Amino acid sequence: MLNQEVAVKSFNSAATPSSHSDETCSCRFCSAPLENVFLDLGMSPLANSYLKKDDNGEKEKFFPLKAYVCSECFLVQLEEWESPENIFGDYAYFSSYSESWLQHAKKYVDNVITRFGLGPDTSVVEIASNDGYLLQYFVEHEIPVLGIEPAQNVAAVARARGIPTRVDFFGERSAKTLRREGLRANLLIGNNVLAHVPNLNDFVGGISILLDDRGVATMEFPHLMRLFDECQIDTIYHEHFSYFSFLTVEKIFASHSMTLFDVEELSTHGGSLRIYAQHTGRGRHAMSSRVSALREKEIAAGFANLEHYQAFEERALETKRKLIEFLETAKREGKRVVGYGAPAKGNTLLNYCGVSPDLIEYTVDRNPHKQGHLLPGTHIPIYEPERIGVTKPDYILILPWNLQQEIISQLSFSRSWGAKFIVPIPEPVVIA
């Protein structure tokens, strides 16, 4: 067991680097004091800080994992306990290991090329472009692209694929540099990055600077309404600094003179939004009826009411109780339980529930960068997927439950010995 070190020093948790206090913190968008807790998940390690098996002499850092809701703009957010450089400088997540995510990316590319008339004389920029999983499809159409990716190890993979990639943390500074170099984005993309930036105003300000006068920016991120309705507590981890309703994200972009003219509700990551933004007064796209419809739906559901947010914590505790009860019952009955996947969200769930290798023997992952390591906090070992066929467990807990259909299809061979799958959120469901 590794030594645990509790982190007590915080970095920037609000709108400016010097604004943190150990007693109060302020909203990273509107700077109002944060006084209302949305969910307290206790102490947890960084969700992607996988451990080497020979790290037994090293101290493992644990940080508070507490989400607040702003009483003014209703942004749900975490304090910044670790700098983005330490979280994303060397990253273990590679987008291309999910076939369904690749299909999602290709479908998006085909759609926007047609919808926005993109071609060889236009430019596409993706922020947090990872390993080139999406930009590769624009390259196939001979559309000029640039990826901006903070993780050097991931950017190197994209470059090896022929995807031009710049290693940088995106914001106003980098956007101004690109402008000076003559770049304006006709399409600017950010998939699952908006939640990852501690300085929201700098990031969205950078989008406004880099976006062409008639350009379009699209952002995808987990939808707070789905997180709330389905008790997706594992979506909350230190890398996700913010959690957005449409009501709040619309305010954020409006404060930087951008209008959200369309929005799509997606099934990815357990339920996401894809927003379409343009410069206010300069964009050429008409307002979609989906904008007002979603705005009204969120208001009716209570997302403009502070009391609605304050009811979430008890539901989270019930999710925790039910998963622990299931795993302990399986152990008493002599059943073997293993995991599938080593996603960040799984690490939040397992640490919050206090699960250890006596309840889940091991987990497997297709990503070779994770194999041979231990999950942070719980120290459950990670192996290659073929191990399931060797040990023949009774239950397989699907940690990336948002990909459950893809995973169940991959592991269909396990039914030959009667294995069953478990989906843990919002409560354990057994799939035979």
Side-chain angles (χ1 to χ4, degrees):
M1 199 71 162
L2 301 184
N3 296 321
Q4 296 179 355
E5 179 179 283
V6 176
V8 295
K9 180 181 178 181
S10 174
F11 294 82
N12 166 36
S13 65
T16 60
S18 60
S19 61
H20 180 79
S21 162
D22 289 336
E23 297 178 355
T24 61
C25 49
S26 55
C27 176
R28 61 173 38 93
F29 167 55
C30 73
S31 298
L34 291 178
E35 300 170 335
N36 299 283
V37 175
F38 176 69
L39 177 61
D40 188 348
L41 291 162
M43 302 297 293
S44 187
L46 297 180
N48 274 305
S49 57
Y50 300 92
L51 307 170
K52 296 180 180 178
K53 289 186 177 180
D54 58 357
D55 277 348
N56 292 329
E58 299 294 326
K59 289 183 178 180
E60 185 176 16
K61 290 185 177 181
F62 281 61
F63 303 85
L65 188 54
K66 182 185 291 187
Y68 295 87
V69 57
C70 176
S71 59
E72 297 295 324
C73 68
F74 302 112
L75 177 65
V76 173
Q77 58 201 279
L78 303 180
E79 295 180 76
E80 185 185 343
W81 287 95
E82 185 61 287
S83 69
E85 288 78 9
N86 286 342
I87 294 175
F88 301 111
D90 186 75
Y91 204 43
Y93 180 76
F94 290 77
S95 297
S96 293
Y97 286 108
S98 170
E99 292 298 327
S100 61
W101 185 243
L102 290 175
Q103 292 169 12
H104 172 76
K106 188 176 188 306
K107 182 179 179 182
Y108 163 85
V109 170
D110 291 342
N111 177 63
V112 293
I113 287 175
T114 300
R115 180 175 180 181
F116 301 124
L118 301 174
D121 58 343
T122 57
S123 61
V124 174
V125 177
E126 184 181 12
I127 307 166
S129 51
N130 203 265
D131 57 9
Y133 75 100
L134 184 145
L135 291 179
Q136 63 180 328
Y137 299 117
F138 286 107
V139 171
E140 290 176 1
H141 290 273
E142 299 183 346
I143 296 173
V145 303
L146 175 66
I148 302 173
E149 169 56 46
Q152 294 200 32
N153 63 317
V154 180
V157 174
R159 287 169 174 161
R161 289 174 152 182
I163 310 296
T165 305
R166 181 171 300 201
V167 176
D168 202 356
F169 285 90
F170 183 79
E172 292 185 359
R173 175 195 54 79
S174 57
K176 289 175 181 176
T177 298
L178 291 169
R179 279 285 299 269
R180 286 194 297 269
E181 294 173 5
L183 179 65
R184 296 293 298 276
N186 300 106
L187 177 65
L188 199 159
I189 307 163
N191 287 345
N192 299 301
V193 61
L194 191 63
H196 289 72
V197 292
N199 195 331
L200 266 181
N201 289 310
D202 178 68
F203 183 84
V204 179
I207 293 173
S208 181
I209 291 168
L210 188 58
L211 189 64
D212 186 76
D213 286 351
R214 294 295 184 91
V216 172
T218 72
M219 298 279 130
E220 293 182 25
F221 47 85
H223 189 190
L224 181 62
M225 177 181 276
R226 291 288 296 275
L227 183 158
F228 192 102
D229 290 348
E230 298 168 26
C231 207
Q232 298 172 1
I233 56 176
D234 54 349
T235 304
I236 299 174
Y237 47 92
H238 295 104
E239 292 176 15
H240 286 173
F241 296 108
S242 304
Y243 306 82
F244 302 95
S245 65
F246 183 75
L247 292 171
T248 296
V249 80
E250 191 174 37
K251 293 177 185 176
I252 294 169
F253 275 75
S255 73
H256 293 275
S257 300
M258 283 184 285
T259 299
L260 303 188
F261 67 89
D262 199 2
V263 60
E264 296 176 66
E265 296 181 73
L266 309 173
S267 62
T268 52
H269 295 284
S272 298
L273 293 182
R274 177 189 289 148
I275 57 173
Y276 294 76
Q278 62 186 355
H279 289 292
T280 303
R282 287 182 280 166
R284 59 185 177 182
H285 301 283
M287 185 69 67
S288 167
S289 61
R290 292 187 289 202
V291 170
S292 58
L294 181 55
R295 190 189 299 131
E296 291 166 8
K297 183 165 75 169
E298 288 192 345
I299 291 172
F303 284 89
N305 187 318
L306 187 61
E307 287 72 24
H308 179 70
Y309 295 85
Q310 294 171 331
F312 186 69
E313 190 146 29
E314 182 55 39
R315 295 181 57 218
L317 288 169
E318 186 65 14
T319 292
K320 174 180 180 177
R321 286 191 287 264
K322 288 181 178 179
L323 180 59
I324 293 173
E325 180 182 354
F326 179 91
L327 294 174
E328 289 181 340
T329 298
K331 183 179 181 182
R332 285 195 300 270
E333 294 175 351
K335 304 293 186 181
R336 300 183 68 182
V337 181
V338 304
Y340 185 96
K345 62 169 55 191
N347 293 326
T348 288
L349 180 67
L350 297 177
N351 278 287
Y352 177 53
C353 295
V355 175
S356 57
D358 65 324
L359 294 177
I360 297 178
E361 293 182 27
Y362 63 85
T363 191
V364 301
D365 200 279
R366 293 178 64 195
N367 186 345
H369 299 276
K370 296 181 181 180
Q371 294 167 10
H373 289 68
L374 305 175
L375 295 182
T378 62
H379 304 166
I380 294 169
I382 309 168
Y383 296 106
E384 67 288 346
E386 291 74 16
R387 190 176 183 88
I388 287 177
V390 175
T391 64
K392 295 181 169 56
D394 299 290
Y395 291 109
I396 302 169
L397 178 66
I398 301 177
L399 293 170
W401 47 263
N402 52 299
L403 302 175
Q404 61 183 276
Q405 296 305 320
E406 176 182 340
I407 292 166
I408 289 172
S409 176
Q410 289 174 6
L411 299 181
S412 59
F413 63 87
S414 65
R415 289 196 169 103
S416 65
W417 65 82
K420 298 177 180 179
F421 300 95
I422 313 164
V423 176
I425 296 292
E427 62 183 41
V429 173
V430 177
I431 301 173

